[in-house]
Amino acid sequence: MSKIAYVDKDNCTSCNQCADNLPKYFQMDDNDTSETHIGGENVNQAPIPEEDWKTVQKEMDECPGECIHWKK
C-alpha cells in the first residue's frame, strides 16, 4: 500500500530542506521549488511506500512553508 505525496508549489519557500533531507522523494525544480518524485518520475505525485510514511510525514511536519501534503 502507498500514499501519494505532493508539494503545493505556491507555498514552497525554496528552502531545500526536504530535498536535502530526503532526496529519495524530494527534488527542486527549475524554478527552485520543491516537488515529490520517485527516481525522477511520478513528479509531484510520488507514491510513498508504507515503510517510509513516517519519514515523509516528518518532512511534512518540519516544512517551513507547510506545503507538503498527502493526496486525499
Side-chain angles (χ1 to χ4, degrees):
M1 181 178 215
S2 63
K3 291 183 184 181
I4 305 293
Y6 73 98
V7 176
D8 177 356
K9 291 175 170 273
D10 291 336
N11 292 322
C12 180
T13 63
S14 301
C15 71
N16 283 23
Q17 179 176 300
C18 59
D20 288 343
N21 292 342
L22 200 55
K24 178 178 180 179
Y25 296 121
F26 296 96
Q27 63 189 9
M28 302 308 284
D29 67 13
D30 292 339
N31 296 316
D32 205 30
T33 55
S34 178
E35 58 193 12
T36 61
H37 74 101
I38 297 289
E41 307 218 358
N42 298 99
V43 173
N44 219 24
Q45 293 196 43
I48 310 298
E50 188 171 358
E51 63 266 15
D52 288 334
W53 288 356
K54 286 183 183 180
T55 306
V56 172
Q57 184 64 54
K58 182 177 185 228
E59 288 305 315
M60 289 178 177
D61 294 343
E62 294 179 358
C63 174
E66 299 178 354
C67 63
I68 308 168
H69 306 285
W70 296 114
K71 265 204 171 166
K72 296 182 181 190

